[in-house]
Amino acid sequence: MKALVWMVIPWLVGSCALPTAPEALRVAVSVPKADPFGASVLRGMELALADREGRAGDHAVELLVFDTMPRDQPPETSRSIEREAAEAAIADPRVVAYLGPVSSHQASISMPLLNEAQIAQISPTATWPGLTRPGFGPGEPARYFPSGRSHFFRVVPTDSVQAAAAARWAHRLGLEATALIHDSQSHGRGASGIFEEAARDLGLKIVGRYHLPPAIQRTSQEMQTLAAQVLASEPNLVYLSAGSPSGLSDLVLQLRRENPRISILGVDILMLGDVVEPLDPAISEGLLATSFSLPVEHLGTAGALAFRHRYRQLYHQEPRPEAASGYEAMNTLLQAISETASGSRQQVLESMSKLREVSGILGRWHFDEFGDTSLAVVGGFRVRQGRWTFEERLR
């Protein structure tokens, strides 16, 4: 495996910037830069820093960006790359906080390392509830906090919030016979289990539970076989939760070919372009998905409107929803740093732990005792004419 890719970014956005102070505090950032999702998160973070002119109170701040999924690396190396990023951040005495990673499986690698180093960590998009709450996975969350003290925060609702909202949405849509399909990753299993529990409370019927093979084994033939098994249980809804988009396009195709009327509702992995784009619009029409965040234009805050305007000015495109999460994570951290005297790791962590209500572009919210956001609104999306469109706010 090649060496970890990283770069230092001062507060510039666009074409101009002031020189960074020699002893600027550093915020380490873990994102997959080549991926549109990761690039969008990073742009949101850069814009938050630029809006404060590269400062948090009396402290100059710069970003130390680690590309934790370089384009030329296979996906299975993401855990080792994340470990290298965390170790490099810990070794740099100027790093006072860590933003990221964007995925829960990578967070499970960096969290215990950063916890022992007592470096505040904020993920803009990791959603697995077992990272912070008991009752989801073996040894969770204690194994992520070896020091016994919390250091981890996140600004988006967990999968438990999303999956329960999805079940309530299915109930309102009158979809009462559900087949569950999930992969072996904690994210997939967990969302499926939470959906099932919420569905049962609502009186929905679970007609079958099915497992996706590992991503590298999801051939068209495998997806055809799985689709036939699922449809034999006669569901009117398939709830699909997986951590990788591999093979999902083929699965949707096979399900809809055999039963064009079947509803398919999934986690936000369905919204990746390589799932819907290869499909004929007649096949993908009406697909449903939930996402941890709303489109920026539907956030309903004055800050979100200003953010959208600035983003379009600088990047000449609409901000994706995750860009707002990146902005909120960075802005919250900068607020905490600004309230410290020296900006040391210990002071930044203490300041993060003492933050009360935050009024940001995502709304008014606070961190609870687990370090999770109090926000409980997720987005419901539907494919219309081959494109994902925002449908409604789900609670």
Side-chain angles (χ1 to χ4, degrees):
M1 185 175 66
K2 294 183 179 179
L4 182 69
V5 179
W6 62 274
M7 63 183 298
V8 176
I9 301 179
W11 68 270
L12 75 161
V13 171
S15 59
C16 59
L18 295 176
T20 304
E23 293 304 317
L25 303 179
R26 283 182 173 173
V27 173
V29 176
S30 166
V31 290
K33 290 175 56 183
D35 180 81
F37 185 96
S40 181
V41 170
L42 179 58
R43 283 179 171 178
M45 292 177 178
E46 291 173 344
L47 184 51
L49 186 58
D51 281 350
R52 289 178 176 255
E53 298 187 345
R55 303 196 67 84
D58 295 332
H59 309 291
V61 177
E62 65 185 21
L63 304 184
L64 178 65
V65 181
F66 296 97
D67 185 358
T68 46
M69 185 41 65
R71 189 182 296 274
D72 61 348
Q73 299 290 347
E76 59 268 19
T77 66
S78 63
R79 292 175 183 266
S80 58
I81 293 175
E82 176 66 18
R83 177 180 295 277
E84 289 183 37
E87 291 172 342
I90 292 167
D92 186 336
R94 290 168 59 186
V95 169
V96 299
Y98 192 95
L99 287 183
V102 299
S103 69
S104 297
H105 79 276
Q106 286 184 304
S108 68
I109 299 301
S110 54
M111 282 178 66
L113 300 174
L114 296 165
N115 182 262
E116 288 188 322
Q118 285 297 279
I119 296 178
Q121 180 177 11
I122 310 177
S123 174
T125 55
T127 55
W128 174 237
L131 296 176
T132 55
R133 295 170 182 262
F136 290 92
E140 292 182 334
R143 62 191 177 98
Y144 307 127
F145 303 100
S147 74
R149 180 184 178 186
S150 179
H151 76 291
F152 183 79
F153 308 86
R154 50 184 157 191
V155 300
V156 292
T158 67
D159 292 328
S160 57
V161 175
Q162 293 186 59
R168 291 189 291 271
W169 195 18
H171 182 250
R172 286 194 291 106
L173 294 174
L175 303 170
E176 298 184 349
T178 305
L180 305 172
I181 305 178
H182 64 79
D183 61 12
S184 60
Q185 295 186 28
S186 57
H187 172 81
R189 295 195 315 271
S192 183
I194 295 162
F195 180 95
E196 179 173 1
E197 183 177 353
R200 288 191 181 282
D201 290 342
L202 293 165
L204 305 184
K205 183 180 180 181
I206 305 300
V207 298
R209 302 167 189 81
Y210 305 90
H211 295 82
L212 283 162
I216 60 174
Q217 297 177 17
R218 296 176 195 171
T219 64
S220 295
Q221 182 60 49
E222 286 283 347
M223 294 301 97
Q224 184 176 3
T225 300
L226 176 58
Q229 294 171 347
V230 171
L231 294 174
S233 62
E234 300 185 348
N236 57 18
L237 171 68
V238 169
Y239 181 69
L240 181 56
S241 56
S244 167
S246 177
L248 300 189
S249 186
D250 276 335
L251 180 58
V252 170
L253 176 62
Q254 297 299 334
L255 289 168
R256 280 287 177 83
R257 268 182 176 170
E258 296 302 318
N259 183 355
R261 302 184 53 155
I262 195 166
S263 294
I264 300 173
L265 168 60
V267 296
D268 49 12
I269 201 76
L270 275 186
M271 297 176 65
L272 296 181
D274 48 0
V275 176
V276 169
E277 287 175 4
L279 297 173
D280 185 289
I283 293 291
S284 63
E285 184 71 16
L287 288 180
L288 304 170
T290 58
S291 176
F292 58 78
S293 57
L294 307 178
V296 175
E297 62 270 27
H298 291 282
L299 289 173
T301 67
L305 294 176
F307 165 76
R308 184 187 182 197
H309 176 71
R310 281 272 284 148
Y311 194 100
R312 290 193 297 183
Q313 270 190 327
L314 293 167
Y315 301 118
H316 309 292
Q317 60 184 252
E318 286 288 342
R320 291 163 53 118
E322 62 271 12
S325 298
Y327 187 98
E328 193 86 326
M330 175 61 76
N331 204 44
T332 302
L333 174 61
L334 293 175
Q335 178 182 331
I337 294 174
S338 70
E339 296 174 3
T340 68
S342 68
S344 67
R345 292 176 176 180
Q346 181 180 358
Q347 287 186 0
V348 171
L349 179 55
E350 288 177 355
S351 184
M352 278 294 304
S353 300
K354 293 177 181 177
L355 279 180
R356 294 297 179 254
E357 187 172 75
V358 175
S359 182
I361 64 173
L362 299 184
R364 299 180 72 87
W365 57 276
H366 62 272
F367 291 119
D368 63 18
E369 68 270 29
F370 300 102
D372 294 336
T373 178
S374 61
L375 293 170
V377 177
V378 298
F381 294 80
R382 183 189 297 267
V383 174
R384 296 185 184 277
Q385 298 180 344
R387 297 173 60 88
W388 284 105
T389 60
F390 177 69
E391 190 81 355
E392 60 181 289
R393 296 165 68 101
L394 305 175
R395 292 183 179 272

